[in-house]
Amino acid sequence: ILNVEQSPQSLHVQEGDSTNFTCSFPSSNFYALHWYRWETAKSPEALFVMTLNGDEKKKGRISATLNTKEGYSYLYIKGSQPEDSATYLCAFLLYGQNFVFGPGTRLSVLP
Amino acid sequence: KAGVTQTPRYLIKTRGQQVTLSCSPISGHRSVSWYQQTPGQGLQFLFEYFSETQRNKGNFPGRFSGRQFSNSRSEMNVSTLELGDSALYLCASSLAPGPANTGELFFGEGSRLTVL
């Protein structure tokens, strides 16, 4: 059974702080990694789709990096805002298989 | 463009009953997958359908079943409900399934099932 881990489980930061979290996944047979943001009472929405080792993606204040050789991805949020409060999920895809989701990192940004 | 629609949004059942949940994907999306989320757990994969065929199935008992219709709409059914089946059930659609497609999943808002 594949295991995707995310750390930390939760964190609280002040508005304006920068933060980052980690997604760890099996490094063999990698095919793709996704990041999703899941706000309370809404549906998860894709942030990034990453497929290549060394990928770096950016969307506004949020960016992500991917290291498939060592099996991790980092998500960075620069200058956190209260609207960034959400659970951030990573999902790992093996070739020919289904997505395996991590347990998520719950971020709370305090004004 | 309409998003993924799941019905019903909330439902309450008692142990031993069965339930059917429905998912209408985004127009043009042919792949539908289902996930279960329980407190403290990540999204657990149930199954994936593409062109009316089940492509993958997660590690759930046979009480969990699903199907996909020719218009790509999907239903999942849980028979003989147990208390532990209380969860949020999410449906996601995508243009096509893996392995060739690494495209993002588009999620519905989920159906929250409570089993008493």
Coordinates of all heavy atoms in Angstrom, one line a residue, chain A residues 24-76:
Chain A
S24 N 5.6 14.0 1.2 CA 6.6 12.9 0.9 C 5.9 11.7 0.2 O 4.8 11.3 0.7 CB 7.3 12.4 2.2 OG 7.9 13.5 2.8
F25 N 6.5 11.2 -0.8 CA 5.9 10.1 -1.5 C 7.0 9.1 -2.0 O 8.2 9.4 -2.0 CB 5.2 10.6 -2.7 CG 6.0 11.5 -3.6 CD1 6.8 11.0 -4.6 CD2 6.0 12.9 -3.4 CE1 7.6 11.9 -5.4 CE2 6.8 13.8 -4.2 CZ 7.5 13.2 -5.2
P26 N 6.6 7.9 -2.3 CA 7.5 6.9 -2.8 C 8.2 7.4 -4.1 O 7.6 8.0 -5.0 CB 6.7 5.7 -3.1 CG 5.4 5.9 -2.4 CD 5.2 7.3 -2.3
S27 N 9.5 7.3 -4.1 CA 10.3 7.9 -5.2 C 10.3 7.0 -6.5 O 10.7 7.5 -7.6 CB 11.7 8.2 -4.8 OG 12.4 7.1 -4.4
S28 N 9.9 5.8 -6.4 CA 10.0 4.9 -7.6 C 8.7 4.9 -8.3 O 7.6 5.1 -7.7 CB 10.4 3.5 -7.2 OG 9.4 3.0 -6.3
N29 N 8.8 4.8 -9.7 CA 7.6 4.8 -10.5 C 6.7 6.0 -10.4 O 5.5 5.9 -10.6 CB 6.7 3.5 -10.2 CG 7.5 2.2 -10.5 OD1 8.2 2.1 -11.5 ND2 7.3 1.3 -9.6
F30 N 7.4 7.1 -10.2 CA 6.6 8.4 -10.1 C 6.0 8.7 -11.4 O 6.6 8.5 -12.5 CB 7.6 9.5 -9.6 CG 7.0 10.9 -9.7 CD1 6.2 11.3 -8.6 CD2 7.1 11.7 -10.8 CE1 5.6 12.6 -8.7 CE2 6.5 12.9 -10.9 CZ 5.8 13.4 -9.8
Y31 N 4.8 9.3 -11.4 CA 4.2 9.7 -12.6 C 3.8 11.2 -12.5 O 4.0 12.0 -13.5 CB 3.0 8.8 -13.0 CG 2.7 8.9 -14.5 CD1 3.6 8.4 -15.4 CD2 1.5 9.4 -14.9 CE1 3.3 8.5 -16.8 CE2 1.2 9.5 -16.3 CZ 2.1 9.0 -17.2 OH 1.8 9.1 -18.5
A32 N 3.1 11.6 -11.5 CA 2.7 13.0 -11.3 C 2.4 13.2 -9.8 O 2.1 12.3 -9.1 CB 1.4 13.2 -12.1
L33 N 2.4 14.5 -9.5 CA 2.1 15.0 -8.2 C 1.2 16.2 -8.3 O 1.5 17.1 -9.1 CB 3.3 15.3 -7.3 CG 2.9 15.6 -5.9 CD1 3.1 14.4 -5.0 CD2 3.6 16.8 -5.3
H34 N 0.1 16.2 -7.6 CA -0.8 17.3 -7.6 C -0.9 17.9 -6.2 O -0.8 17.2 -5.2 CB -2.3 16.9 -7.9 CG -2.5 16.4 -9.3 ND1 -3.7 16.2 -9.9 CD2 -1.6 16.1 -10.3 CE1 -3.6 15.8 -11.1 NE2 -2.3 15.7 -11.4
W35 N -1.1 19.3 -6.2 CA -1.4 20.0 -5.0 C -2.9 20.5 -5.1 O -3.2 21.1 -6.1 CB -0.5 21.1 -4.7 CG 0.8 20.7 -4.1 CD1 2.0 20.5 -4.8 CD2 1.1 20.4 -2.7 NE1 3.0 20.2 -3.9 CE2 2.5 20.1 -2.6 CE3 0.4 20.5 -1.5 CZ2 3.1 19.8 -1.4 CZ3 1.0 20.2 -0.4 CH2 2.3 19.8 -0.3
Y36 N -3.7 20.4 -4.0 CA -5.0 20.9 -4.0 C -5.2 21.7 -2.8 O -4.6 21.4 -1.7 CB -6.0 19.7 -4.0 CG -6.1 19.0 -5.3 CD1 -5.2 17.9 -5.6 CD2 -7.0 19.3 -6.3 CE1 -5.3 17.2 -6.8 CE2 -7.1 18.6 -7.5 CZ -6.2 17.6 -7.7 OH -6.3 16.9 -8.9
R37 N -6.0 22.7 -2.9 CA -6.4 23.5 -1.8 C -7.9 23.3 -1.5 O -8.7 23.3 -2.4 CB -6.2 25.0 -2.0 CG -6.8 25.9 -0.9 CD -6.3 27.4 -1.0 NE -6.8 27.9 -2.3 CZ -6.2 29.0 -2.8 NH1 -5.2 29.6 -2.2 NH2 -6.7 29.5 -4.0
W38 N -8.2 23.0 -0.2 CA -9.6 22.6 0.2 C -10.0 23.6 1.3 O -9.6 23.4 2.4 CB -9.6 21.2 0.6 CG -11.0 20.6 0.7 CD1 -12.2 21.3 0.5 CD2 -11.3 19.3 1.1 NE1 -13.2 20.4 0.7 CE2 -12.7 19.2 1.1 CE3 -10.6 18.2 1.5 CZ2 -13.4 18.0 1.4 CZ3 -11.2 17.0 1.8 CH2 -12.6 16.9 1.7
E39 N -10.9 24.5 0.9 CA -11.4 25.5 1.9 C -12.7 24.8 2.5 O -13.4 24.1 1.8 CB -11.8 26.8 1.2 CG -10.6 27.5 0.7 CD -11.0 28.8 0.0 OE1 -11.4 29.7 0.7 OE2 -10.8 28.9 -1.2
T40 N -12.9 25.2 3.7 CA -14.1 24.7 4.4 C -15.3 24.9 3.7 O -15.5 26.0 3.1 CB -14.2 25.3 5.8 OG1 -12.9 25.1 6.5 CG2 -15.3 24.8 6.6
A41 N -16.2 23.9 3.6 CA -17.5 24.0 3.0 C -17.4 24.2 1.4 O -18.4 24.5 0.8 CB -18.4 25.1 3.6
K42 N -16.2 24.0 0.9 CA -16.1 24.0 -0.6 C -15.5 22.7 -1.1 O -15.3 21.8 -0.3 CB -15.2 25.2 -1.0 CG -15.8 26.6 -0.6 CD -14.9 27.7 -1.2 CE -15.6 29.0 -0.9 NZ -14.7 30.1 -1.5
S43 N -15.3 22.6 -2.4 CA -14.7 21.4 -2.9 C -13.2 21.7 -3.1 O -12.7 22.8 -3.4 CB -15.3 21.0 -4.2 OG -15.4 22.1 -5.1
P44 N -12.4 20.6 -3.1 CA -10.9 20.8 -3.4 C -10.7 21.4 -4.7 O -11.4 21.0 -5.7 CB -10.4 19.4 -3.2 CG -11.4 18.6 -2.4 CD -12.7 19.2 -2.8
E45 N -9.7 22.3 -4.8 CA -9.4 22.9 -6.1 C -7.9 22.7 -6.4 O -7.1 22.9 -5.5 CB -9.7 24.4 -6.1 CG -11.2 24.7 -6.2 CD -11.4 26.2 -6.3 OE1 -10.5 26.9 -6.1 OE2 -12.6 26.5 -6.6
A46 N -7.6 22.4 -7.6 CA -6.2 22.1 -8.0 C -5.4 23.4 -7.9 O -5.8 24.5 -8.4 CB -6.1 21.5 -9.4
L47 N -4.2 23.3 -7.4 CA -3.2 24.4 -7.4 C -2.2 24.1 -8.4 O -1.9 25.0 -9.3 CB -2.5 24.5 -6.0 CG -3.3 25.1 -4.9 CD1 -2.6 25.0 -3.6 CD2 -3.6 26.6 -5.2
F48 N -1.5 23.0 -8.4 CA -0.5 22.6 -9.3 C -0.5 21.2 -9.7 O -0.9 20.3 -8.9 CB 0.9 22.9 -8.6 CG 1.1 24.3 -8.1 CD1 1.2 24.5 -6.7 CD2 1.2 25.4 -9.0 CE1 1.4 25.8 -6.2 CE2 1.4 26.6 -8.5 CZ 1.5 26.9 -7.1
V49 N -0.1 21.0 -11.0 CA 0.1 19.6 -11.5 C 1.6 19.6 -11.8 O 2.1 20.4 -12.6 CB -0.7 19.3 -12.7 CG1 -0.4 18.0 -13.3 CG2 -2.2 19.3 -12.3
M50 N 2.3 18.6 -11.2 CA 3.8 18.6 -11.4 C 4.2 17.2 -11.9 O 3.7 16.2 -11.3 CB 4.5 18.9 -10.1 CG 3.9 20.2 -9.5 SD 4.7 20.7 -8.0 CE 6.2 21.5 -8.6
T51 N 5.0 17.2 -12.9 CA 5.3 15.9 -13.5 C 6.8 15.6 -13.6 O 7.3 14.5 -13.8 CB 4.7 15.7 -14.9 OG1 5.1 16.8 -15.7 CG2 3.2 15.7 -14.8
L52 N 7.6 16.7 -13.7 CA 9.0 16.5 -14.0 C 9.9 16.8 -12.7 O 9.6 17.8 -12.0 CB 9.5 17.5 -15.1 CG 8.8 17.2 -16.4 CD1 9.2 18.3 -17.4 CD2 9.1 15.8 -17.0
N53 N 10.9 16.0 -12.5 CA 11.9 16.3 -11.5 C 12.4 17.7 -11.6 O 12.8 18.1 -12.7 CB 13.0 15.3 -11.5 CG 13.9 15.4 -10.3 OD1 13.5 15.7 -9.2 ND2 15.2 15.4 -10.5
G54 N 12.4 18.5 -10.5 CA 12.9 19.8 -10.6 C 11.9 20.8 -11.0 O 12.2 22.1 -11.0
D55 N 10.7 20.4 -11.3 CA 9.6 21.3 -11.6 C 9.5 22.4 -10.5 O 9.6 22.1 -9.3 CB 8.3 20.5 -11.7 CG 7.7 20.4 -13.1 OD1 8.3 21.0 -14.0 OD2 6.7 19.7 -13.2
E56 N 9.3 23.6 -10.9 CA 8.9 24.6 -10.0 C 7.7 25.4 -10.6 O 7.7 25.8 -11.8 CB 10.0 25.6 -9.8 CG 11.2 25.1 -9.0 CD 12.2 26.1 -8.7 OE1 11.9 27.3 -8.6 OE2 13.4 25.8 -8.5
K57 N 6.6 25.5 -9.8 CA 5.4 26.1 -10.3 C 5.1 27.3 -9.4 O 5.3 27.2 -8.2 CB 4.2 25.1 -10.4 CG 4.5 23.9 -11.2 CD 3.9 24.0 -12.6 CE 4.2 22.8 -13.4 NZ 3.2 22.6 -14.5
K58 N 4.4 28.3 -9.9 CA 4.1 29.4 -9.1 C 2.7 30.0 -9.6 O 2.4 30.0 -10.8 CB 5.1 30.5 -9.3 CG 4.9 31.7 -8.3 CD 6.1 32.7 -8.4 CE 5.8 33.8 -7.4 NZ 6.9 34.9 -7.5
K59 N 1.9 30.3 -8.6 CA 0.6 31.0 -8.8 C 0.4 32.0 -7.8 O 0.1 31.8 -6.6 CB -0.5 29.9 -8.7 CG -1.9 30.4 -9.1 CD -2.9 29.3 -8.9 CE -2.8 28.2 -9.9 NZ -3.9 27.3 -9.9
G60 N 0.7 33.3 -8.2 CA 0.6 34.4 -7.2 C 1.6 34.2 -6.1 O 2.8 34.1 -6.4
R61 N 1.2 34.2 -4.9 CA 2.1 34.1 -3.7 C 2.4 32.6 -3.4 O 3.1 32.3 -2.4 CB 1.4 34.7 -2.5 CG 1.2 36.2 -2.7 CD 0.5 36.8 -1.5 NE -0.9 36.4 -1.4 CZ -1.3 35.4 -0.6 NH1 -0.5 34.8 0.2 NH2 -2.6 35.1 -0.5
I62 N 1.8 31.7 -4.1 CA 2.0 30.3 -3.8 C 2.9 29.6 -4.8 O 2.7 29.9 -6.0 CB 0.7 29.5 -3.7 CG1 -0.3 30.2 -2.8 CG2 0.9 28.1 -3.3 CD1 -1.7 29.6 -2.7
S63 N 3.9 28.8 -4.4 CA 4.7 28.1 -5.3 C 5.0 26.7 -4.8 O 4.8 26.4 -3.6 CB 6.1 28.9 -5.5 OG 6.7 29.0 -4.2
A64 N 5.5 25.9 -5.7 CA 5.8 24.5 -5.3 C 7.0 24.0 -6.1 O 7.2 24.5 -7.2 CB 4.6 23.6 -5.6
T65 N 7.7 23.1 -5.4 CA 8.8 22.5 -6.1 C 8.7 21.0 -6.0 O 7.9 20.5 -5.1 CB 10.2 22.9 -5.4 OG1 10.1 22.5 -4.0 CG2 10.4 24.4 -5.5
L66 N 9.4 20.3 -6.8 CA 9.2 18.8 -6.9 C 10.6 18.2 -7.0 O 11.4 18.5 -7.9 CB 8.4 18.4 -8.1 CG 8.2 16.9 -8.3 CD1 7.4 16.3 -7.2 CD2 7.5 16.7 -9.7
N67 N 10.9 17.2 -6.2 CA 12.1 16.3 -6.2 C 11.6 14.9 -6.3 O 11.3 14.3 -5.3 CB 13.0 16.6 -5.0 CG 14.3 15.9 -5.1 OD1 14.4 14.7 -5.6 ND2 15.4 16.5 -4.7
T68 N 11.6 14.3 -7.5 CA 11.1 12.9 -7.6 C 12.2 11.9 -7.2 O 11.9 10.8 -6.9 CB 10.7 12.7 -9.1 OG1 11.9 12.8 -9.9 CG2 9.6 13.6 -9.5
K69 N 13.5 12.3 -7.3 CA 14.5 11.4 -6.9 C 14.5 11.0 -5.4 O 14.7 9.9 -5.0 CB 15.9 11.9 -7.3 CG 16.1 12.1 -8.8 CD 17.5 12.5 -9.2 CE 17.7 12.9 -10.6 NZ 17.4 11.8 -11.6
E70 N 14.2 12.0 -4.6 CA 14.2 11.8 -3.2 C 12.8 11.7 -2.7 O 12.5 11.4 -1.5 CB 15.0 12.9 -2.5 CG 16.4 12.9 -2.8 CD 17.2 14.0 -2.1 OE1 16.9 14.3 -0.9 OE2 18.2 14.5 -2.7
G71 N 11.8 12.0 -3.5 CA 10.4 11.7 -3.1 C 9.8 12.8 -2.2 O 9.2 12.4 -1.2
Y72 N 9.9 14.1 -2.6 CA 9.2 15.1 -1.8 C 8.9 16.3 -2.7 O 9.5 16.5 -3.8 CB 10.1 15.5 -0.6 CG 11.4 16.2 -1.0 CD1 11.4 17.6 -1.3 CD2 12.6 15.5 -1.0 CE1 12.6 18.2 -1.6 CE2 13.8 16.1 -1.3 CZ 13.8 17.5 -1.6 OH 14.9 18.1 -1.9
S73 N 7.9 17.0 -2.2 CA 7.5 18.3 -2.8 C 7.2 19.3 -1.7 O 6.7 18.9 -0.7 CB 6.2 18.1 -3.7 OG 5.8 19.3 -4.2
Y74 N 7.6 20.5 -2.0 CA 7.4 21.6 -1.0 C 6.4 22.5 -1.6 O 6.4 22.8 -2.8 CB 8.6 22.4 -0.7 CG 9.7 21.6 0.0 CD1 11.1 21.8 -0.3 CD2 9.4 20.7 1.1 CE1 12.1 21.2 0.4 CE2 10.4 20.1 1.7 CZ 11.7 20.3 1.4 OH 12.7 19.6 2.1
L75 N 5.5 23.0 -0.7 CA 4.5 24.1 -1.1 C 4.9 25.3 -0.2 O 5.0 25.2 1.0 CB 3.1 23.7 -0.8 CG 2.0 24.6 -1.4 CD1 1.9 24.4 -2.9 CD2 0.7 24.4 -0.7
Y76 N 5.1 26.4 -0.9 CA 5.4 27.7 -0.2 C 4.3 28.7 -0.3 O 3.8 28.8 -1.4 CB 6.7 28.3 -0.7 CG 7.9 27.4 -0.7 CD1 8.2 26.6 -1.8 CD2 8.8 27.5 0.3 CE1 9.4 25.8 -1.8 CE2 10.0 26.7 0.3 CZ 10.2 25.9 -0.7 OH 11.4 25.1 -0.8

